[in-house]
């Protein structure tokens, strides 16, 4: 029988100090920003760069030899709580990605935030966020992961609401914080279920105990020893599915999945580099990373829920991106859609494909956000006098490729990776997801073809809104000059400097397929091979079927078909976007002139399926109505009852005082008076004469005898 104490026994490594440094250097970068003031961007960037070096060193040293570090944290009521680090290929890859993206965002922010008086606070928040993300990546204990999970929520709240003097930014930060807390309620519920069953949250220990769990008569049973005592834990088998779905709720909030995705578009109120760091590459990917960590704990039912939610999210967000005016909102909805692909991949068992897409998406989406940031930054400098405009509105752009060729180059490469065309990283990772999805749907059949249909339709919409964005921003005439009536305005527009363009170009080059393997088959990518799908440990009766069981020949035929359909749908989306939004076309002119899309489909798209209105009118107003009802009940029922009780107590007090004065005090006084009279009578008898006392005694005894006789 497995000893729990052995599973969570302390374990040290020669790399312990390196791991501690990898965790704490980002926090130090944030702390020194408060003291360096104007030099904060450079000091903070240096420490993040140093942390990238540490991450790279550990990746090279431990890639083939994972390291586990564990120690005792505290004991409570006979329960030992431990901390643990685990550096496997997944953690090492994520450490490098997080620090690499964070470093380029820091460098980009040096110029982007140069004129902001609060930039020390900005870089302090960036350091806190990177520290929080590293905690999620490095810790291998679900309790510690949850602690840093909440720290990520806090730091993202601070970054989204960085310009808190803007009401919209403050509201967006609050919205993100609240909706993430809703998802986190599910996360902590899952933790409680697992702790009830296994009495530990150490992931290695949980996996070992899960592997020996069984389903007996519908009950989820596991036996182990703890402190020499045999423990037999048993829960209804449905709790196994409930635990997985509850943990997944945390990912739903953090990774902006249906129905909690509405916070991410509003989060674009933060500085654009923040959008690149938090909402494209790291924070929203934390949910997918967490799913990867608990992947082997999810039973078949939980995985089905994950797959369906991912497919629905990808489709809905792609539809929402079709009609947006704000370039950052298009990218935000695109992020939600691509995160849906990653979640879908986890749900269908395509672990490697999901992580592959997480990494490729981090590069090309960060590049898109930084390129958009360059455009916004340069347009903002064209504001003069009282002439105000929205530098994020694509209706004021157009023709920017002539004045910003480097930005156009970076944006184009990253866009093609997003569309998923051959030769770009997005093609490899998306193709891997669609292939495994096709296999999964074919195995299950029936209604499970619906997620597959939604995913392939999303390919068309992704290509459409991406190419639409390119046409509106970089082609045609520079529309802002006509809007402001400044014909020479285009001459004032110029490319961003090296601090802005170099990070964007680096991300653009990483969006090519070459860094991941010069191939059209994702299975040949070194990254796919380096991150194999882990084995399930859930009880056999609840386990999902492996994707590896299908014949190789069938897999190859299906791969070719998926390739052809995916490429064809992407090209169809590009052609359709050009037909609709080509420069000088009637539909493009109509788009520029109208305040918002018309028609049912346009309205549904623009307002994101009316989810915000739905939540506001049904949930929010329902909660407010309930609150008002409770306030009325409290005011007129509870308060009045309390007031009435108080008044009754006053009346009772008056009556009590009267009764005490008249009856109690009167009785006491009467008794005292009577005792006084008796005392006076007996005192006359008590003369001190012994004969008199004998006489009185004799008379008393005689009287008593007569009473007894008679």
């Amino acid at each position: 029988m497995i000893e729990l104490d052995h599973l969570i026994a302390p374990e040290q490594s020669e790399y312990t100090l390196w791991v501690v440094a990898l965790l704490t250097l980002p926090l130090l970068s944030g702390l020194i920003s408060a003291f360096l003031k104007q030099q904060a961007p450079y000091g903070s960037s240096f420490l993040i760069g140093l942390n990238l070096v540490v991450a790279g060193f550990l990746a090279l040293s431990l890639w083939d030899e994972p390291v586990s570090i564990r120690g005792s944290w505290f004991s409570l009521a006979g329960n030992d709580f431990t901390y643990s680090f685990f550096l496997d290929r997944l953690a090492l890859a994520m450490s490098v990605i997080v620090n690499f993206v964070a470093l380029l965002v820091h460098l980009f922010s040096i110029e982007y935030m140069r004129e902001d008086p609060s930039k020390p606070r900005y870089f302090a928040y960036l350091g806190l966020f990177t520290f929080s993300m590293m905690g999620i990546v490095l810790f291998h204990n679900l309790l510690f992961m949850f602690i840093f999970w909440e720290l990520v929520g806090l730091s993202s709240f601070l970054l989204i609401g960085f310009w808190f003097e803007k009401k919209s930014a403050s509201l967006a930060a609050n919205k993100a914080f609240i909706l993430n807390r809703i998802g986190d309620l599910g996360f902590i519920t899952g933790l409680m279920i697992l702790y009830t069953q296994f009495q530990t949250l150490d992931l290695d220990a949980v996996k070992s105990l899960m592997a020996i769990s069984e389903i007996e008569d519908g009950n989820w049973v596991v036996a182990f020893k703890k402190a020499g005592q045999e423990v037999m834990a048993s829960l209804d088998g449905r709790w196994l599915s409930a635990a997985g779905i509850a943990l997944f709720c945390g990912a739903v909030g953090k990774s902006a999945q249906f129905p909690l995705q509405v916070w991410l578009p509003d989060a674009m109120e933060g500085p654009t580099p923040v959008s690149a760091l938090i909402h494209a590459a790291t924070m929203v990917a934390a949910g997918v990373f967490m799913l990867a960590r608990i992947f082997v704990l999810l039973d078949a039912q939980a995985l089905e829920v994950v797959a369906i939610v991912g497919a629905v999210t990808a489709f809905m967000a792609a539809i929402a991106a079709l009609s947006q005016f704000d370039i950052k909102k298009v990218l935000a909805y695109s992020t939600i859609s691509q995160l849906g692909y990653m979640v879908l991949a986890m749900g269908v068992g395509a672990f490697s494909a999901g992580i592959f897409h997480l990494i490729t998406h981090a590069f090309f989406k960060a590049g898109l956000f930084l390129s958009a940031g360059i455009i916004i930054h340069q347009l903002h400098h064209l504001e003069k006098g009282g002439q105000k405009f929205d530098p994020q509105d694509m209706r004021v752009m157009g023709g920017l490729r002539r004045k910003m060729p480097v930005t156009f180059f970076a944006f184009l490469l990253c866009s093609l990776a997003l569309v998923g065309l051959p030769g770009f990283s997005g093609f490899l990772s998306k193709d891997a997801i669609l292939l495994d999805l096709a296999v999964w749907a074919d195995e299950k059949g029936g209604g499970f073809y619906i997620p597959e249909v939604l995913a392939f339709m999303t390919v068309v919409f992704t290509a459409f809104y991406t190419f639409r964005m390119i046409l509106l921003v970089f082609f045609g005439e520079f529309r802002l000059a006509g809007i402001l009536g400044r014909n020479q305005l285009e001459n004032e527009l110029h490319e961003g400097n090296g601090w802005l363009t170099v990070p964007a170009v680096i991300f653009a080059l990483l969006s090519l397929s070459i860094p991941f393997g010069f191939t059209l088959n994702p299975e040949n990518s070194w990254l796919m091979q380096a991150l194999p799908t882990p084995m399930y440990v859930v009880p056999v009766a609840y386990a999902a079927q492996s994707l590896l069981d299908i014949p190789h020949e069938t897999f190859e035929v299906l791969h070719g078909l998926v390739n052809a359909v995916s490429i064809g749908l992407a090209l169809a989306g590009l052609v359709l976007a050009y037909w609709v939004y080509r420069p000088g076309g009637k539909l493009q002119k109509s788009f520029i002139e109208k305040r918002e899309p018309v028609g049912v489909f346009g309205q549904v798209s623009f307002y994101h399926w009316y989810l915000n209105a739905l939540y506001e009118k049904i949930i929010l107003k329902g909660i407010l109505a309930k609150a008002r009802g409770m306030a009325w009940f409290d005011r007129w029922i509870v308060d009045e009852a309390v007031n009435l009780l108080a008044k009754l107590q006053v009346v009772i007090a008056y009556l009590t005082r009267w009764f005490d004065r008249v009856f109690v005090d009167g009785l006491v006084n009467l008794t005292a008076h009577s005792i006084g009279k008796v005392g006076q009578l007996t005192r006359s008898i008590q003369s001190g004469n012994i004969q008199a006392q004998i006489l009185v005694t004799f008379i008393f005894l005689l009287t008593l005898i007569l009473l007894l006789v008679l």
Side-chain angles (χ1 to χ4, degrees):
M1 184 173 292
I2 291 182
E3 287 271 3
L4 178 60
D5 297 333
H6 292 165
L7 294 176
I8 61 174
E11 187 177 356
Q12 296 300 316
S13 168
E14 59 182 311
Y15 294 98
T16 300
L17 291 179
W18 288 99
V19 176
V20 173
L22 185 62
L23 177 64
T24 56
L25 277 174
L27 179 62
L28 182 60
S29 76
L31 292 175
I32 67 169
S33 298
F35 301 98
L36 293 180
K37 302 298 181 184
Q38 294 304 314
Q39 298 303 315
Y42 304 101
S44 182
S45 300
F46 172 78
L47 288 177
I48 295 297
L50 182 61
N51 210 45
L52 176 61
V53 173
V54 174
F57 166 74
L58 290 174
L60 292 173
S61 303
L62 304 176
W63 190 255
D64 295 319
E65 298 180 4
V67 166
S68 180
I69 302 170
R70 185 180 293 106
S72 179
W73 187 22
F74 68 91
S75 296
L76 181 65
N79 296 301
D80 294 325
F81 291 86
T82 62
Y83 67 86
S84 59
F85 300 104
F86 186 54
L87 277 78
D88 60 349
R89 290 183 176 182
L90 177 60
L92 293 168
M94 283 297 298
S95 297
V96 173
I97 296 296
V98 169
N99 282 284
F100 181 75
V101 174
L103 175 61
L104 292 186
V105 168
H106 274 72
L107 297 176
F108 184 92
S109 300
I110 291 176
E111 176 63 26
Y112 195 90
M113 303 296 291
R114 187 179 297 279
E115 299 177 5
D116 197 302
S118 300
K119 60 184 176 185
R121 176 166 58 88
Y122 170 83
F123 282 92
Y125 291 167
L126 286 184
L128 176 62
F129 174 82
T130 309
F131 163 72
S132 306
M133 273 300 305
M134 291 307 302
I136 293 177
V137 170
L138 296 175
F139 277 106
H140 207 54
N141 183 295
L142 287 172
L143 179 58
F144 272 90
M145 185 178 288
F146 181 75
I147 292 171
F148 281 89
W149 190 270
E150 295 303 302
L151 279 176
V152 166
L154 172 63
S155 54
S156 64
F157 165 79
L158 296 172
L159 285 167
I160 295 169
F162 177 75
W163 289 317
F164 57 85
E165 63 276 5
K166 291 171 55 182
K167 186 178 181 180
S168 57
S170 180
L171 291 175
N174 290 335
K175 188 175 184 178
F177 190 83
I178 293 170
L179 287 175
N180 272 272
R181 299 295 74 73
I182 294 173
D184 294 348
L185 286 175
F187 194 165
I188 200 169
T189 301
L191 297 186
M192 289 188 286
I193 296 172
L194 291 180
Y195 191 83
T196 299
Q197 184 74 344
F198 301 124
Q199 299 186 21
T200 181
L201 292 174
D202 183 277
L203 265 173
D204 280 339
V206 170
K207 290 176 184 178
S208 298
L209 294 173
M210 181 77 82
I212 63 171
S213 297
E214 296 180 354
I215 302 296
E216 299 178 358
D217 299 325
N219 291 324
W220 178 25
V221 180
V222 62
F224 57 92
K225 284 187 176 181
K226 180 182 179 182
Q229 301 294 320
E230 187 172 326
V231 177
M232 179 67 73
S234 179
L235 292 172
D236 189 297
R238 288 170 292 188
W239 285 107
L240 176 59
S241 300
I245 294 172
L247 291 172
F248 172 59
C249 287
V252 168
K254 200 69 76 188
S255 291
Q257 297 297 287
F258 178 82
L260 300 180
Q261 74 268 45
V262 293
W263 68 268
L264 187 59
D266 291 352
M268 299 300 108
E269 290 290 341
T272 302
V274 170
S275 303
L277 177 64
I278 300 180
H279 309 296
T282 50
M283 174 188 169
V284 292
V288 180
F289 176 82
M290 188 268 286
L291 275 180
R293 277 299 190 216
I294 65 169
F295 178 76
V296 298
L297 308 180
L298 303 177
D299 70 347
Q301 288 73 29
L303 287 171
E304 288 174 2
V305 172
V306 172
I308 293 169
V309 169
V312 170
T313 303
F315 177 78
M316 291 181 66
I319 293 291
L322 295 176
S323 59
Q324 302 300 318
F325 300 138
D326 190 311
I327 187 173
K328 287 177 66 176
K329 282 197 173 183
V330 176
L331 296 177
Y333 285 117
S334 171
T335 297
I336 297 172
S337 183
Q338 297 303 306
L339 288 167
Y341 270 127
M342 301 174 207
V343 171
L344 172 63
M346 293 296 171
V348 302
F351 175 91
S352 303
I355 299 301
F356 192 8
H357 199 58
L358 184 155
I359 294 173
T360 60
H361 176 263
F363 291 143
F364 66 70
K365 187 54 61 69
L368 285 170
F369 267 108
L370 293 188
S371 298
I374 297 172
I375 295 169
I376 296 167
H377 184 267
Q378 299 305 102
L379 288 179
H380 181 71
H381 288 301
L382 300 181
E383 292 183 346
K384 292 183 179 180
Q387 290 184 315
K388 297 290 184 179
F389 60 92
D390 185 0
Q392 298 178 190
D393 194 334
M394 293 187 294
R395 290 171 296 184
V396 308
M397 302 177 188
L400 299 186
R401 75 185 190 282
R402 296 187 294 270
K403 291 295 182 178
M404 307 176 71
V406 178
T407 302
F408 171 65
F409 168 78
F411 198 96
L412 180 63
L413 292 188
C414 294
S415 296
L416 294 176
L418 171 61
V419 172
L421 291 181
F424 296 88
S425 61
F427 170 78
L428 293 175
S429 56
K430 183 190 69 175
D431 183 66
I433 294 173
L434 294 176
L435 175 59
D436 289 339
L437 171 61
V439 174
W440 176 82
D442 190 60
E443 287 183 347
K444 288 186 171 291
F448 290 100
Y449 283 109
I450 295 175
E452 182 182 15
V453 172
L454 294 178
F456 276 95
M457 290 178 65
T458 302
V459 173
V460 181
F461 298 138
T462 301
F464 182 90
Y465 69 67
T466 302
F467 201 49
R468 164 186 178 267
M469 184 167 51
I470 292 174
L471 290 170
L472 291 173
V473 174
F474 293 102
F475 289 85
E477 300 297 323
F478 185 44
R479 293 181 290 273
L480 183 59
I483 294 172
L484 298 182
R486 293 158 58 186
N487 296 329
Q488 300 300 317
L489 188 62
E490 188 172 359
N491 297 328
E492 302 176 27
L493 184 66
H494 55 83
E495 185 67 86
N497 62 24
W499 288 109
L500 299 176
T501 56
V502 171
V505 170
I506 292 174
F507 281 128
L509 295 176
L510 290 172
S511 299
L512 300 172
S513 63
I514 297 174
F516 305 97
F518 195 74
T519 177
L520 294 179
N521 188 349
E523 298 297 324
N524 296 331
S525 171
W526 66 269
L527 187 58
M528 284 281 289
Q529 297 173 2
L531 298 170
T533 301
M535 298 299 294
Y536 295 113
V537 296
V538 297
V540 176
Y542 280 62
Q545 294 182 347
S546 175
L547 293 171
L548 304 178
D549 295 337
I550 65 170
H552 182 72
E553 294 78 11
T554 305
F555 194 86
E556 288 297 323
V557 172
L558 195 58
H559 180 226
L561 180 62
V562 169
N563 254 347
V565 173
S566 175
I567 295 172
L569 291 175
L571 292 175
L574 295 178
V575 172
L576 183 61
Y578 180 79
W579 179 73
V580 175
Y581 290 100
R582 65 187 184 277
K586 292 182 179 181
L587 291 177
Q588 188 197 71
K589 185 178 179 181
S590 175
F591 165 81
I592 296 167
E593 292 176 347
K594 58 190 177 185
R595 295 177 60 90
E596 63 181 48
V598 296
V600 176
F601 182 82
Q603 292 283 302
V604 168
S605 170
F606 187 73
Y607 290 107
H608 192 190
W609 300 83
Y610 292 100
L611 287 179
N612 277 304
L614 179 68
Y615 295 154
E616 182 178 344
K617 292 184 180 297
I618 296 180
I619 299 178
L620 182 59
K621 287 190 175 181
I623 293 173
L624 291 176
K626 181 181 178 181
R628 284 192 291 268
M630 294 179 67
W632 180 89
F633 183 82
D634 180 70
R635 170 68 180 86
W636 297 106
I637 305 298
V638 178
D639 284 359
E640 290 300 318
V642 172
N643 293 337
L644 179 61
L645 183 61
K647 292 176 181 179
L648 288 175
Q649 288 178 330
V650 172
V651 173
I652 293 171
Y654 277 113
L655 293 174
T656 303
R657 188 179 69 173
W658 177 82
F659 182 83
D660 180 72
R661 188 177 69 248
V662 175
F663 289 93
V664 178
D665 287 357
L667 182 61
V668 171
N669 293 335
L670 178 62
T671 303
H673 181 73
S674 301
I675 292 173
K677 291 297 184 182
V678 173
Q680 289 178 358
L681 180 62
T682 54
R683 182 175 151 186
S684 63
I685 300 173
Q686 298 291 327
S687 61
N689 191 323
I690 188 64
Q691 292 85 356
Q693 294 177 357
I694 292 172
L695 178 62
V696 171
T697 303
F698 175 76
I699 294 171
F700 174 77
L701 292 174
L702 181 62
T703 304
L704 182 62
I705 292 169
L706 290 174
L707 290 173
L708 292 174
V709 173
L710 297 176

